[in-house]
Amino acid sequence: MHATSTPLFRPVTRIVRGMPASDGAGVRMLRVIGQPQLPNLDPFLMLDAFGSDRADDYIAGFPDHPHRGFETVTYMLAGRMRHRDSQGNSGDLGPGSVQWMTAGRGIVHSEMPLQESGRMAGFQLWVNLPARDKMCAPRYQDIPADRVPVVAGSGLVVKVLAGRYAAADGPVSTVATDPGYLDATLEAGARFDHAIAPGHTAFAYVFEGEVGFGDAATPVRATHLAVLGPGERVGAVGGPDGGRFILVSGRPLGEPIVQYGPFVMNTAAEIRQAIDDFQAGRF
Ligand code: FE
């Protein structure tokens, strides 16, 4: 191989293990992006993976809290949550549903479990907004499971939450960073092959079994995130007992990030403004 050639399949450049964490009023989860080993992965600011059969791990939920300057994306695998915000919007998130919330200039909301027992599992991803969109009007895209296309292939099933896979378009629209978000389940040895725009950031988070990525089929086990470097396509192969992962991609912003908890802006002055606005009830 020529030293300067681009590999066919994006190589694994880093593997990061999700770190046990607690957030909201005491919800236990794995923090994958937004922890010391991986503070962010432009344009992604945070990825939490939650999954438990024990109500104690999730029952406290996420009471009222603000957001400004980015988007929160909740993808439910199991269980039910209810979302309510300061402007009177509310919605229920069930298994397989997606909520893509563009916080923009600010919302105050709660995310609380609608169950007192049973399994609760899913992901919350934070996607940054470019400076020009940070103060946009808040917007919700609440997508029930039956609007998420499912593409079945040889030994694989792919759900398309955002972006395009094969000929299927995900239901999320008009997002600044042109994101892709797939949920892929591979049987042992099954092959996955998908093009992502060159220059876009891409990562895979494996949450069941094991999956190999890149020309070298670098193995990545459940609870681990693989950063995928430059390459023409994303190639994956199911491990010995198969595997399941989310594949997330987006255009990096290359802008300064100044974060104070749930406020993510470009300058310290904008953070002070966010705190003032929140304390004055202007969200
Ligand atoms: Fe929130």
Side-chain angles (χ1 to χ4, degrees):
M1 189 197 289
H2 199 271
T4 56
S5 66
T6 305
L8 175 58
F9 292 129
R10 286 175 176 247
V12 174
T13 55
R14 283 191 70 184
I15 295 178
V16 176
R17 184 175 197 172
M19 188 181 98
S22 170
D23 206 341
V27 177
R28 295 183 50 76
M29 81 254 305
L30 292 177
R31 181 143 295 163
V32 190
I33 300 174
Q35 49 130 323
Q37 286 204 57
L38 190 62
N40 62 69
L41 188 62
D42 186 15
F44 305 108
L45 301 163
M46 195 191 80
L47 176 69
D48 284 342
F50 51 96
S52 179
D53 301 313
R54 296 181 50 227
D56 284 353
D57 287 343
Y58 61 74
I59 201 72
F62 301 86
D64 277 350
H65 60 277
H67 295 283
R68 172 179 280 184
F70 60 100
E71 303 184 286
T72 70
V73 183
T74 306
Y75 174 37
M76 298 296 292
L77 298 171
R80 293 185 177 276
M81 300 274 281
R82 173 163 293 165
H83 160 268
R84 284 179 198 275
D85 80 4
S86 48
Q87 299 174 339
N89 300 301
S90 73
D92 293 352
L93 295 170
S97 70
V98 186
Q99 183 195 61
W100 200 291
M101 182 188 80
T102 304
R105 62 179 171 250
I107 57 107
V108 178
H109 74 163
S110 62
E111 299 153 287
M112 300 299 289
L114 275 177
Q115 64 194 43
E116 294 177 354
S117 63
R119 182 159 179 76
M120 175 81 74
F123 300 100
Q124 188 168 88
L125 175 73
W126 288 11
V127 186
N128 206 0
L129 285 168
R132 67 171 186 277
D133 292 336
K134 281 187 177 291
M135 294 297 280
C136 70
R139 177 186 181 205
Y140 291 94
Q141 298 182 65
D142 280 317
I143 296 152
D146 62 10
R147 282 187 53 214
V148 175
V150 180
V151 180
S154 177
L156 63 92
V157 176
V158 179
K159 298 183 179 184
V160 186
L161 313 185
R164 167 169 280 200
Y165 171 78
D169 284 311
V172 173
S173 64
T174 60
V175 180
T177 45
D178 191 19
Y181 195 147
L182 307 177
D183 169 358
T185 304
L186 273 56
E187 293 175 6
R191 292 192 173 273
F192 168 91
D193 181 351
H194 176 57
I196 286 177
H200 281 202
T201 300
F203 71 82
Y205 177 75
V206 177
F207 58 101
E208 291 176 14
E210 180 184 302
V211 179
F213 292 92
D215 292 342
T218 305
V220 179
R221 283 177 294 125
T223 74
H224 291 71
L225 176 146
V227 178
L228 303 174
E232 292 176 23
R233 309 178 67 79
V234 172
V237 57
D241 298 310
R244 187 174 179 189
F245 61 96
I246 53 172
L247 175 64
V248 179
S249 62
R251 182 189 306 115
L253 298 174
E255 296 178 352
I257 297 170
V258 183
Q259 178 167 1
Y260 180 76
F263 308 136
V264 184
M265 304 301 289
N266 301 110
T267 68
E270 290 167 344
I271 291 293
R272 283 193 294 275
Q273 185 67 54
I275 294 167
D276 284 353
D277 287 350
F278 174 58
Q279 288 177 345
R282 287 191 288 262
F283 270 38

